[in-house]
Amino acid sequence: MQTRKLGFSDLNLSVIGLGTWAIGGGGYACGLGAQDDQESIRTIRKAIDNDINWIDTAPMYGLGHAEEVIGKAIGGIRSQVHVATKSGILWDENKNFRFCLKRDSIRAEVEATLRRIDTDYIDLYQIHTATPEEEIEEGWYCIAELIREGKVRYAGVSNFSLEQIKKVQKIHPVASIQPVYSMFNREIEQGIMDYCAQNGIGIISYSPLCSGLITDGISRERIKALALDDFRPRLPDFQEPLLGVHLKAIERLKPIAKRSGLTLPQLAIAWVLRQKELTSAIVGARCVDHIDEIVKAGDLVMAGEELREIEAILADHRAEGREVFTPYLNGVVSRILNFLATLFQRMRSAHAYR
C-alpha cells in the first residue's frame, strides 16, 4: 500500500488508516452496535498484515473498550504500527459525557490510555474536539509537555476550525488535523487544505464513506434495520431531506464503480485519496472481510474522465442539497443545535436506546 509522510513529522502513514469506532461496540449513546472482540482482534491483525500501518482510536469509542482491544491485538508487534488516539471527552459511571481540556484531566487521560493499550508512548495524540473552546490552549500546552516527556510523539487536532488550528499552532506545531471529508462533505477544501499544505500539517480525514452511507447495499430499509444502539439514524445525513439527495447520488455513482471493477466504498475512498494534500483516510472495519475490500482502494489512481464524471454527479448533488434546504435555511443552525442537545440528553442513560 502507498504511504505518505504526515506533515513535518517522520511518520510515514499508509494512505488508509484503520478506524476503530465500531470496534468499541455498543451499549452507549454514541455506539455503533454490538461487536465481537475476537473478530475485532483478527480484523486489526489482518489490517497490519495488509500494510495498514496505523490505527486511529479514542477513549470515547466504547468508553475505553476500543483502546483495550487494540492493546490485545498489537501485543508483541507494537513497533509495527502507529497508534493515534485522542483526549477531551470524559464519561462517568452512568455513561454521561462531558468535555474537558484541563491540564490535569488530559494527563489522567494519557495515563489511562497508555494502560489500556499497554504501551509507554502514543504516536499521535489529538484533541478530539475544540470544546470547551476556552480550554483549547491549556490542553495544547499540556500535550506539548507530554511530547517533551516522551509519552507522546506528535500532537494533532480533530474537528477544529481554521481559526482554532491557527490559535494552537502559535503554541506548539500541529502535526496533523483530523476533519470529516467525503464526497458529501467537502468543507475542508475551502481554505483548510491550503493552510495545511503551506504549514507542514498533515491531514488524516475521517468518514470517507459518510458514516457508512456510501455503500452498495444502503437503502432506507437497511437504515431502519440498524441496531437500536446504533446512533447513525439520528444523524442529519441519514434523515430526510438530505437522505433522499444522498441516495440519488449514490445510485448514479454505482455504475461508475461497477464499470471500473470496484465496489462503491472503494470508489469513494479512492476519490478522497486523490487529494495530494491528504495524508491518509480513516476507514472503519468490523471484520476481516472488510479489510480485503478497503485495502484495494489504497492502490487505486483515479483517471481523468472518471473524475470528471464523478464531479458532475457531485455538482448536481450539491445543488439539490441546497434546494431541499432552501425552505428552512434560517433554521439550519437551530436544527443542528437541537440534534446535538437531543444526542447528549440520550447520553444520560445507559439504556437510552433500549
Side-chain angles (χ1 to χ4, degrees):
M1 183 179 294
Q2 304 173 60
T3 62
R4 297 177 185 174
K5 187 172 178 290
L6 182 70
F8 67 82
S9 79
D10 64 356
L11 302 179
N12 288 292
L13 303 183
S14 53
V15 292
I16 292 176
L18 181 64
T20 60
W21 193 334
I23 282 173
Y28 67 110
C30 288
L32 298 180
Q35 175 69 16
D36 179 76
D37 288 349
Q38 291 306 309
E39 183 63 21
S40 295
I41 290 171
R42 287 190 290 270
T43 300
I44 293 169
R45 291 177 178 167
K46 175 80 169 182
I48 296 170
D49 289 343
N50 281 269
D51 298 326
I52 293 178
N53 71 359
W54 76 283
I55 301 171
D56 181 79
T57 191
M60 193 197 82
Y61 303 163
L63 311 185
H65 189 61
E67 290 185 334
E68 292 172 347
V69 172
I70 291 167
K72 294 175 182 176
I74 66 174
I77 56 170
R78 174 67 179 91
S79 62
Q80 296 180 31
V81 60
H82 302 305
V83 176
T85 189
K86 308 177 186 76
S87 65
I89 301 181
L90 309 176
W91 64 92
D92 62 22
E93 64 277 4
N94 296 315
K95 303 182 183 180
N96 300 325
F97 284 83
R98 66 183 178 89
F99 301 103
C100 183
L101 295 172
K102 293 287 189 180
R103 179 178 181 274
D104 290 347
S105 179
I106 287 182
R107 283 195 164 272
E109 281 201 81
V110 166
E111 294 302 327
T113 285
L114 293 174
R115 183 173 60 255
R116 286 191 289 259
I117 300 177
D118 192 20
T119 185
D120 57 4
Y121 69 96
I122 299 165
D123 296 283
L124 179 64
Y125 199 53
Q126 305 155 101
I127 291 180
H128 202 149
T129 185
T131 308
E133 185 160 7
E134 64 271 16
E135 295 176 8
I136 290 174
E137 291 164 302
E138 180 177 348
W140 197 248
Y141 273 114
C142 179
I143 294 175
E145 291 175 0
L146 293 166
I147 291 174
R148 290 191 291 270
E149 294 168 13
K151 293 182 178 180
V152 171
R153 295 182 64 191
Y154 295 102
V157 299
S158 177
N159 301 308
F160 270 45
S161 69
L162 181 55
E163 290 309 309
Q164 290 163 340
I165 296 168
K166 290 179 178 178
K167 179 185 293 187
V168 296
Q169 178 79 337
K170 297 175 183 178
I171 298 170
H172 182 87
V174 178
S176 67
I177 66 165
Q178 186 180 138
V180 62
Y181 184 54
S182 73
M183 290 177 168
F184 297 163
N185 194 320
R186 304 176 63 171
E187 281 79 1
I188 65 168
E189 294 177 357
Q190 309 302 315
I192 288 182
M193 277 190 171
D194 287 342
Y195 179 83
C196 289
Q198 295 164 7
N199 290 273
I201 299 173
I203 302 174
I204 49 175
S205 66
Y206 69 90
S207 201
L209 305 181
C210 196
S211 299
L213 194 61
I214 309 177
T215 52
D216 294 285
I218 198 66
S219 66
R220 289 179 175 86
E221 292 71 27
R222 184 170 178 178
I223 292 171
K224 289 178 181 177
L226 290 173
L228 292 177
D229 57 354
D230 190 324
F231 85 104
R232 287 176 295 174
R234 298 162 182 84
L235 295 173
D237 282 321
F238 283 72
Q239 298 179 2
E240 301 294 353
L242 271 182
L243 178 60
V245 176
H246 292 335
L247 291 177
K248 182 177 179 180
I250 286 168
E251 288 305 310
R252 293 180 64 189
L253 290 166
K254 285 180 179 179
I256 301 175
K258 185 176 181 181
R259 190 171 66 236
S260 303
L262 305 174
T263 64
L264 190 56
Q266 288 169 341
L267 183 77
I269 296 166
W271 179 87
V272 165
L273 293 176
R274 86 201 187 286
Q275 291 283 9
K276 65 181 186 300
E277 294 88 356
L278 200 76
T279 306
S280 183
I282 300 166
V283 186
R286 287 182 179 270
C287 62
V288 293
D289 289 345
H290 289 166
I291 300 300
D292 290 329
E293 180 178 15
I294 66 177
V295 292
K296 184 177 180 180
D299 290 321
L300 295 174
V301 177
M302 304 201 78
E305 183 58 37
E306 189 177 45
L307 278 173
R308 284 189 289 272
E309 191 174 355
I310 291 172
E311 286 301 325
I313 293 171
L314 297 183
D316 290 342
H317 171 269
R318 287 194 298 275
E320 291 174 18
R322 287 192 294 269
E323 184 177 339
V324 299
F325 273 115
T326 298
Y328 56 99
L329 275 175
N330 291 335
V332 169
V333 173
S334 64
R335 283 169 181 265
I336 293 172
L337 291 176
N338 287 338
F339 163 72
L340 291 174
T342 301
L343 177 61
F344 278 93
Q345 183 179 5
R346 285 172 172 165
M347 287 178 180
R348 295 182 181 278
S349 171
H351 304 286
Y353 297 147
R354 297 179 182 175

